[in-house]
């Protein structure tokens, strides 16, 4: 039994880390640009497939390194050409735009790589269990968790120690004042979008190694990511991270005890948080 | 006398409401120019048009000899135009020191270190969040933040608003010090007495138009004119 609970918690933490990676990117974009990016899952799929296609040439590590960067590049382009046009308009425009983009990403990946699932090769030594008693704890799972933590740590550093990060945080509160201090907010929003999409692309590559590839790979992650933001508090990176891990573990545990509630449990958590603390666990008026 | 900033016939709208009806200004280099007027006269809108936040629909703005009418705010700031917005607008979620790292670095004598020399109080509170500061400290931070651009022209929108008299004196002392260091100042104020004391040139706005333009010394000396320009709110002009 304790084995089973441990399995559920570990699984939950890993799934939760994915939610968090998605959610942090979504939250960055939402906070600075007031755009709810429904295409986030599509970018995740693009990252995964790009890695798949380049692995024969650059290997697993090359794909892990390069694919998220290329995805971020695509993000910069999409923001500059399309999304920046709807800034300052009714939120309905950005909603429709990103919703449409999500469909386009899904169909394009289906067109290029096919609708059937594809296997994604992770180095064999990473896939073997770390110990016989903890058979489910493969090196890859530990590696994913560790890498996600490192990347989130780097993002925290960026947001608190660099001028770019400080300007993004200032901009989430008052973009106008950032602009009169000489900061080009068009570029700021573009880079911020790219950072968010980098995280989505990275999540895609990592998820591919665990789940294999499907054009809809991002779909199952996007709703929980929104819930993670709501539970953690919009604009709080720590809160979003916490929110992602919490719902991951909660639904993992629910899978063991009440399998039918494994999806519902995160919605219940969200409802409770909204009733008790509407701004989210770590949300406050000043963002980040 | 060369002007740092010239505005000709500015027509500015907020959505459909027409706020500025042909405002023309001249801000001489190295001087303090103040814009006075009642609430809603268009003072803040004038400044917002000048710094590019609410671009004028008609008219022309020239800063340091360059046409800036349709430039975005960051490009105007990069030319060396500092702006201290109404209500201070400090970043409440950032610490004092982090607030000071938001502006772009233009070369010049102002660095975070020299700012901390001028505002020792900000140095003491460097690790406090913006939201933990008092009104006076927030005003100092807002001014310090704009100074870090190393501006040649500093535009301030009601810096004395809501501050205790002692702090107001301090703010005006800093403004005159800016002039002494060669920075051109454009100041919007409600505190008429204090601003006329420090200003060289004065504009009075009324209903989005220039009602008076002249030297501050003349207006200071002509109490009757001052009262008539102040109109109904003569009492309110009598701060201090």
């Amino acid at each position: 039994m304790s084995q089973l609970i441990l399995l559920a918690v570990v699984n939950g933490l890993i799934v939760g880390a994915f939610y968090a990676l998605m959610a942090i990117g979504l939250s960055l974009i939402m906070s600075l640009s007031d755009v709810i990016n429904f295409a986030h899952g599509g970018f995740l799929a693009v990252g995964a497939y790009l890695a798949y296609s380049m692995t024969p040439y650059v290997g697993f590590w090359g794909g892990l390194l390069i694919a998220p960067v290329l995805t971020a590049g695509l993000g910069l382009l999409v923001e500059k050409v399309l999304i920046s046009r709807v800034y300052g308009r009714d939120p309905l425009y950005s909603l429709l735009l990103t919703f449409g983009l999500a469909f386009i990403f899904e169909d394009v990946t289906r067109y290029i790589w096919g609708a059937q699932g594809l296997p994604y090769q992770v180095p064999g030594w990473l896939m073997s269990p770390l110990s016989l008693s903890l058979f489910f704890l493969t090196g890859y799972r530990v590696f994913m968790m560790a890498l996600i933590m490192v990347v989130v740590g780097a993002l925290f550093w960026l947001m608190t120690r660099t001028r770019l990060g400080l300007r993004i945080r200032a901009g989430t509160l008052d973009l106008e004042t950032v602009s009169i201090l000489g900061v080009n907010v068009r570029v700021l929003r573009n880079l911020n979008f790219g950072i968010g999409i980098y995280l989505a692309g990275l999540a895609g590559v990592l998820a591919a190694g665990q789940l294999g590839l499907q054009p809809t790979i991002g779909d199952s992650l996007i709703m929980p990511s929104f819930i993670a933001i709501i539970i953690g508090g919009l604009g709080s990176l720590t809160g979003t991270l916490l929110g992602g891990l919490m719902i991951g573990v909660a639904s993992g545990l629910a899978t063991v005890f009440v399998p039918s509630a494994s999806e519902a449990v995160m919605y219940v958590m969200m409802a409770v948080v909204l009733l008790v603390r509407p701004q989210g666990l770590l949300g406050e008026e000043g963002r980040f | 006398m060369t002007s740092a900033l010239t505005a000709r016939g500015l027509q500015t709208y907020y959505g459909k409401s027409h706020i500025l009806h042909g405002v023309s200004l001249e801000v001489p280099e190295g001087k303090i120019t103040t814009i006075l007027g009642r609430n809603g006269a268009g003072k803040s809108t004038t400044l917002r048009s000048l710094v590019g936040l609410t671009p004028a629909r008609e008219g022309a703005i020239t800063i340091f000899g360059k046409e800036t009418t349709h430039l975005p705010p960051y490009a105007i700031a990069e030319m060396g135009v500092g702006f201290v917005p109404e209500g201070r607008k400090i970043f409440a979620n950032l610490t004092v020191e982090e607030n000071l790292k938001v502006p772009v670095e233009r070369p010049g004598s102002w660095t975070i270190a020299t700012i901390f020399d001028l505002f020792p109080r900000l140095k003491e509170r460097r690790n406090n969040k913006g939201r933990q500061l008092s009104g006076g400290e927030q005003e100092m931070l807002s001014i310090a933040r704009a100074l870090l651009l190393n501006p040649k022209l500093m535009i301030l929108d009601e810096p004395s608003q809501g501050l205790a008299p002692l702090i107001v004196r301090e703010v005006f002392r800093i403004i005159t010090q800016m002039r002494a260091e060669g920075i051109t100042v454009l100041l919007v104020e409600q505190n008429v007495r204090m601003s006329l004391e420090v200003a060289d040139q004065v504009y009075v706005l009324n209903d989005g138009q220039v009602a008076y333009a002249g030297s501050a010394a003349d207006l200071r000396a002509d109490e009757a004119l001052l009262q008539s320009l102040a109109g109904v709110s003569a009492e309110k002009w009598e701060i201090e």
Side-chain angles (χ1 to χ4, degrees):
Chain A
M1 190 63 197
S2 65
Q3 269 277 20
L4 208 56
I5 293 176
L6 190 61
L7 169 67
V9 171
V10 170
N11 259 341
L13 280 175
I14 289 167
V15 175
F18 275 108
Y19 294 159
L21 211 50
M22 286 278 280
I24 289 173
L26 278 169
S27 178
L28 282 174
I29 295 168
M30 223 186 284
S31 304
L32 189 66
S33 297
D34 292 322
V35 166
I36 299 173
N37 182 24
F38 276 105
H40 217 67
F43 280 109
L44 180 142
V46 169
Y49 277 99
L50 283 177
Y52 170 83
S53 287
M54 67 176 66
T55 300
Y57 309 102
V58 297
F60 170 78
W61 300 104
L64 185 63
L65 210 66
I66 301 168
V69 175
L70 289 182
T71 315
L74 178 68
L76 294 176
L77 188 72
V78 166
E79 194 273 351
K80 189 162 178 61
V81 176
L82 293 171
I83 295 181
S84 62
R85 290 172 197 276
V86 299
Y87 288 156
R89 296 190 189 214
D90 191 286
L92 197 61
Y93 286 93
S94 65
L95 226 84
L96 284 172
L97 176 62
T98 59
F99 214 71
L101 277 173
F103 283 117
I104 292 171
F105 280 133
E106 196 180 316
D107 277 348
V108 168
T109 45
R110 189 172 286 136
Y111 180 78
I112 298 176
W113 286 283
Q116 77 284 12
L118 295 168
Y120 185 72
Q121 278 306 329
V122 170
W125 60 269
L126 260 183
M127 284 315 269
S128 51
L130 287 180
S131 80
L132 284 176
S133 55
L134 299 172
F135 60 92
F136 51 86
L137 201 59
T138 62
Y140 187 64
R141 292 185 156 180
V142 175
F143 167 73
M144 279 195 298
M145 278 300 287
L147 183 63
I148 290 176
M149 289 308 135
V150 167
V151 168
V152 171
L155 187 72
F156 272 75
W157 177 83
L158 180 84
M159 287 296 160
T160 52
R161 292 283 179 269
T162 69
R163 283 179 186 259
L164 172 67
L166 294 176
R167 285 170 184 161
I168 288 174
R169 283 165 62 206
T172 61
L173 200 72
D174 185 350
L175 204 58
E176 199 175 88
T177 301
V178 173
S179 76
I180 53 123
L181 295 170
V183 178
N184 185 339
V185 296
R186 282 281 314 106
V187 172
L188 192 69
R189 278 175 153 173
N190 188 245
L191 291 176
N192 180 63
F193 196 86
I195 294 170
I197 299 305
Y198 173 84
L199 299 178
L202 181 69
V205 183
L206 290 176
Q210 185 68 30
L211 312 164
L213 289 150
Q214 273 156 20
T216 55
I217 185 171
D219 290 4
S220 60
L221 290 172
I222 193 145
M223 214 24 107
S225 302
F226 283 124
I227 295 173
I229 293 173
I230 294 169
I231 288 179
L234 179 63
S236 164
L237 288 187
T238 322
T240 306
L241 178 65
L242 200 67
L245 294 177
M246 276 170 62
I247 58 175
V249 171
S251 69
L253 286 173
T255 314
V256 174
F257 296 106
V258 207
S260 58
S262 65
E263 286 238 358
V265 66
M266 61 181 81
Y267 293 94
V268 174
M269 286 170 74
M270 175 175 77
V272 171
V273 167
L274 283 177
L275 282 172
V276 180
R277 211 179 139 77
Q279 70 273 46
L281 294 178
L282 297 183
E284 39 189 333
E285 269 178 73
R287 291 162 165 185
F288 290 114
Chain B
M1 187 165 60
T2 46
S3 17
L5 180 150
T6 311
R8 290 269 165 270
L10 300 185
Q11 307 268 353
T12 304
Y13 295 72
Y14 275 130
K16 277 181 183 161
S17 27
H18 194 170
I19 310 289
L20 299 188
H21 301 267
V23 169
S24 296
L25 294 172
E26 195 102 7
V27 178
E29 217 163 82
K31 307 273 186 197
I32 297 177
T33 303
T34 184
I35 304 178
L36 307 173
R38 274 174 272 172
N39 275 330
K43 306 187 296 295
S44 290
T45 309
T46 303
L47 295 192
R48 288 181 62 90
S49 290
L50 296 179
V51 300
L53 287 174
T54 310
R57 210 175 278 182
E58 283 171 53
I61 300 162
T62 314
I63 300 177
F64 310 132
K66 189 182 167 202
E67 158 103 39
T68 61
T69 322
H70 302 292
L71 288 185
Y74 79 87
I76 294 173
E78 273 180 344
M79 293 170 58
V81 180
F83 184 47
V84 179
E86 187 178 9
R88 333 193 212 289
K89 301 287 173 63
I90 57 139
F91 304 114
N93 54 341
L94 302 185
T95 66
V96 167
E97 196 162 4
E98 287 172 337
N99 263 276
L100 295 174
K101 286 179 177 164
V102 174
V104 295
E105 288 174 297
R106 275 170 39 87
S109 58
W110 291 111
T111 63
I112 291 181
T114 52
I115 283 291
F116 279 156
D117 289 341
L118 180 66
F119 302 103
R121 185 71 185 140
L122 291 181
K123 188 176 185 180
E124 282 168 35
R125 309 214 62 178
R126 64 201 290 174
N127 294 319
N128 285 107
K129 295 262 183 185
R131 68 169 68 88
Q132 296 167 311
L133 302 184
S134 71
E137 289 164 346
Q138 289 189 3
E139 188 59 52
M140 297 305 164
L141 180 56
S142 191
I143 292 173
R145 204 175 52 179
L147 276 176
L148 278 167
L149 274 166
N150 282 295
K152 291 183 281 175
L153 168 64
M154 181 70 117
I155 300 179
L156 304 100
D157 195 352
E158 301 207 15
S160 76
Q161 196 182 41
L163 298 181
L166 214 63
I167 316 272
V168 173
R169 292 213 161 271
E170 177 67 9
V171 167
F172 277 95
R173 192 186 62 76
I174 291 166
I175 291 171
T176 46
Q177 195 179 332
M178 285 181 202
R179 176 178 54 191
E181 293 185 17
I183 301 174
T184 307
V185 176
L186 177 59
L187 171 70
V188 155
E189 258 303 333
Q190 292 277 358
N191 191 333
V192 175
R193 298 286 168 203
M194 287 288 277
S195 25
L196 282 182
E197 241 172 71
V198 301
D200 304 293
Q201 294 289 315
V202 58
Y203 286 86
V204 178
L205 286 189
N206 194 25
D207 287 338
Q209 285 174 314
V210 175
Y212 175 85
S215 85
D218 290 350
L219 191 56
R220 238 185 347 246
D222 194 339
E223 190 64 26
L225 178 63
L226 190 57
Q227 292 296 336
S228 77
L229 287 170
V232 287
S233 56
E235 287 290 305
K236 268 200 71 183
W237 286 51
E238 215 72 43
I239 305 174
E240 286 292 292

